[in-house]
Amino acid sequence: MAGGGSTTPEQGQLRAAFGGMTTRGRSFLAAGVAAAACAYLLGQAELLRVGLLLAALPLVCVLVLHRTRYRVAGSRTLTPARVPAAAESRVRLRVENVSRLPTGVLMLQDRVPYVLGPRPRFVLDRIEPGGSREVSYRVRSDLRGRYPLGPLQLRLTDPFGMCELTRSFTAFDTLTVVPRVEPLPPVRLAGEAAGYGDGGHRTLALAGEDDIIPRGYRHGDDLRRVHWRSTARHGELMVRREEQPQKARCTILLDTRAGAHDGSGPDSAFEWAVAGAASIALHLLERGFSVRLLTDTGSTVPGPEGGESADTAGLLLDSLAAVEHSAEESLAAAYGVLRDGAEGLLIAFFGELDEQQAALAGRIRRRSATAVAFVLDGDAWSRGPGGIRLSRGGPQTAERLRMLREAGWTALPVAPGAALADLWRAAGQPGTAPAGSVPGQSGAGASGRCEAGA
């Protein structure tokens, strides 16, 4: 049994129902009590009946509404649940009356974060027993992130307006706003042609009949590759796995240090870097690369082995949707990961670099055959678009670019308004610097030389 002073959930819900009595209900209750008291003092039986009727009506409405408030089901559907920044998603709300009595007028309200717009409200007519109503609204955000939607709130009223109850459902949904992805031109980077489908490297399996490692049959496999011995053993069609493509690997390094980026919002340097990392990641995944994302904290997504292209793309976009500034002051954690990693293509998005971090970035380059660095021009981004000259970079940025290029990076400066497609194209053209680069500096380093692709 409950201890002294405690209340059961049913008692608490009933108390909340009485607390939802409207001004009209309270007035009827007060009038009924006053009439009953006067009837008792004056000995008027007819007035007593009127007083009891006035007092009973709001109480009955509260009890009936209390009984019916748990028989309304609500659900929410997002289409789609993952959208790029500045794109819209449609939210559909469905309310179903699962009781045997019709509902009164309902006010439906959904909780959404302020960044997604005003809180949507809908007024629904009476819902017949077993009936349902559907409404929808749209949400959009210019800022990437993961935004909770809910809980759904439903305000119930009785037909006489004596009581109003607000029910909050427990279900939440999450809208994921991912960075905007920019289509990029095909560029062949030196030493990485295999990732673009031009003569991919392949490793032959062992040639012996008993050494062949079979796999399950997939739609489109050549029936001449069926391995009958394994088929008989497993009871299903098995084919020879005679050769496997060796994917080219790419690591995208994203500098998230708070001290390396100034400003915030959709037009900030950090958001440009996040969107650039997403665009290049999807571009390379579509061309057969095994891509992983690495931040200055040393965390990687999806991991060194990667995965299926579609799954990897989803993981990368979801991670980039939620990435925030880090408290790191150095790139040492990322260097520790790349120092022991496998060789491959390295794409980096650096914020402002001091001399020490530029030298560390130069050592990061050593394990990669080709390395491309997009260096945000902190001086230009801090001044804002109104005072920018895209053909000039700050002297500090020019020095950092020189240090990276001497270490073998293909280093490209990034100023406000720079198009990633132009920078990506410049990364594949030796000796070419895009608009916004520093005069007197070529777009490719000695060891990071790139070749133009078809």
Side-chain angles (χ1 to χ4, degrees):
M1 297 180 60
S6 63
T7 59
T8 64
E10 180 67 22
Q11 292 173 340
Q13 294 163 2
L14 186 59
R15 183 179 300 175
F18 278 101
M21 192 176 296
T22 62
T23 302
R24 179 185 298 178
R26 296 178 187 275
S27 300
F28 267 69
L29 183 60
V33 171
C38 292
Y40 177 77
L41 294 176
L42 300 177
Q44 298 291 330
E46 292 79 5
L47 183 59
L48 179 61
R49 296 189 186 96
V50 173
L52 293 177
L53 176 63
L54 292 177
L57 182 60
L59 298 178
V60 170
C61 290
V62 167
L63 293 175
V64 171
L65 197 60
H66 168 69
R67 294 280 298 176
T68 59
R69 63 189 288 254
Y70 300 105
R71 300 185 180 181
V72 179
S75 61
R76 181 190 304 102
T77 304
L78 276 68
T79 309
R82 179 195 290 141
V83 295
E88 290 186 342
S89 176
R90 178 181 290 273
V91 183
R92 289 183 173 86
L93 304 177
R94 178 182 175 86
V95 179
E96 184 176 359
N97 182 14
V98 296
S99 66
R100 297 180 180 179
L101 298 176
T103 68
V105 178
L106 307 177
M107 190 181 81
L108 192 64
Q109 176 177 277
D110 203 10
R111 281 190 171 183
V112 300
Y114 176 78
V115 70
L116 297 182
R119 182 172 296 182
R121 293 183 175 90
F122 305 92
V123 177
L124 305 180
D125 294 333
R126 296 180 60 183
I127 305 178
E128 65 279 3
S132 62
R133 298 288 186 274
E134 287 191 3
V135 293
S136 65
Y137 64 95
R138 294 181 179 272
V139 290
R140 67 182 296 273
S141 172
D142 293 330
L143 292 174
R144 58 181 177 80
R146 295 174 61 86
Y147 301 103
L149 300 181
L152 186 64
Q153 293 182 334
L154 196 63
R155 182 176 297 176
L156 309 176
T157 61
D158 65 276
F160 300 100
M162 299 290 179
C163 182
E164 288 184 354
L165 293 180
T166 300
R167 174 185 177 183
S168 293
F169 297 89
T170 58
F172 283 84
D173 289 281
T174 301
L175 175 67
T176 303
V177 181
V178 301
R180 283 175 288 188
V181 176
E182 181 179 347
L184 300 178
V187 172
R188 183 184 301 167
L189 300 176
E192 298 297 337
Y196 288 84
D198 299 333
H201 298 297
R202 297 181 180 271
T203 58
L204 297 178
L206 296 177
E209 177 71 15
D210 296 331
D211 295 329
I212 295 177
I213 303 176
R215 62 168 173 80
Y217 175 83
R218 298 173 185 170
H219 179 72
D221 284 340
D222 191 348
L223 292 178
R224 291 174 296 181
R225 293 176 55 197
V226 174
H227 192 251
W228 297 109
R229 182 178 299 178
S230 299
T231 298
R233 183 183 304 120
H234 294 279
E236 60 177 345
L237 280 177
M238 306 292 290
V239 296
R240 296 182 181 90
R241 185 156 46 186
E242 295 174 345
E243 55 181 26
Q244 301 174 1
Q246 183 179 2
K247 282 189 175 182
R249 295 185 177 185
C250 174
T251 299
I252 297 179
L253 172 59
L254 179 62
D255 183 4
T256 64
R257 295 173 300 143
H261 302 275
D262 290 330
S264 60
D267 297 326
S268 65
F270 182 65
E271 294 302 323
W272 189 98
V274 172
S279 300
I280 291 181
L282 266 63
H283 176 77
L284 295 179
L285 282 172
E286 291 173 356
R287 281 151 181 80
F289 274 78
S290 176
V291 180
R292 67 168 176 171
L293 174 68
L294 172 66
T295 65
D296 55 285
T297 62
S299 61
T300 60
V301 178
E305 298 302 326
E308 294 295 331
S309 178
D311 297 338
T312 302
L315 287 172
L316 289 173
L317 288 177
D318 289 345
S319 299
L320 289 172
V323 69
E324 299 291 345
H325 289 297
S326 72
E328 297 288 333
E329 297 181 356
S330 172
L331 299 171
Y335 171 70
V337 174
L338 293 174
R339 179 179 54 189
D340 301 327
E343 296 183 0
L345 177 62
L346 175 61
I347 308 292
F349 290 84
F350 290 123
E352 290 190 69
L353 298 173
D354 56 25
E355 184 176 357
Q356 181 181 2
Q357 298 307 311
L360 182 59
R363 293 198 298 272
I364 290 176
R365 151 73 181 83
R366 294 177 184 174
R367 292 286 296 176
S368 300
T370 303
V372 179
F374 299 94
V375 184
L376 301 177
D377 186 348
D379 180 63
W381 285 93
S382 62
R383 284 186 279 134
I388 295 303
R389 295 293 183 270
L390 296 181
S391 60
R392 297 191 319 196
Q396 183 176 355
T397 302
E399 176 62 21
R400 303 299 175 253
L401 291 171
R402 184 191 63 80
M403 294 178 63
L404 292 176
R405 287 165 181 160
E406 289 181 352
W409 286 88
T410 300
L412 303 170
V414 179
L420 179 62
D422 295 337
L423 293 169
W424 183 246
R425 188 179 293 108
Q429 297 175 356
T432 303
S437 63
V438 180
Q441 301 288 349
S442 64
S447 300
R449 193 166 181 266
C450 300
E451 300 175 1

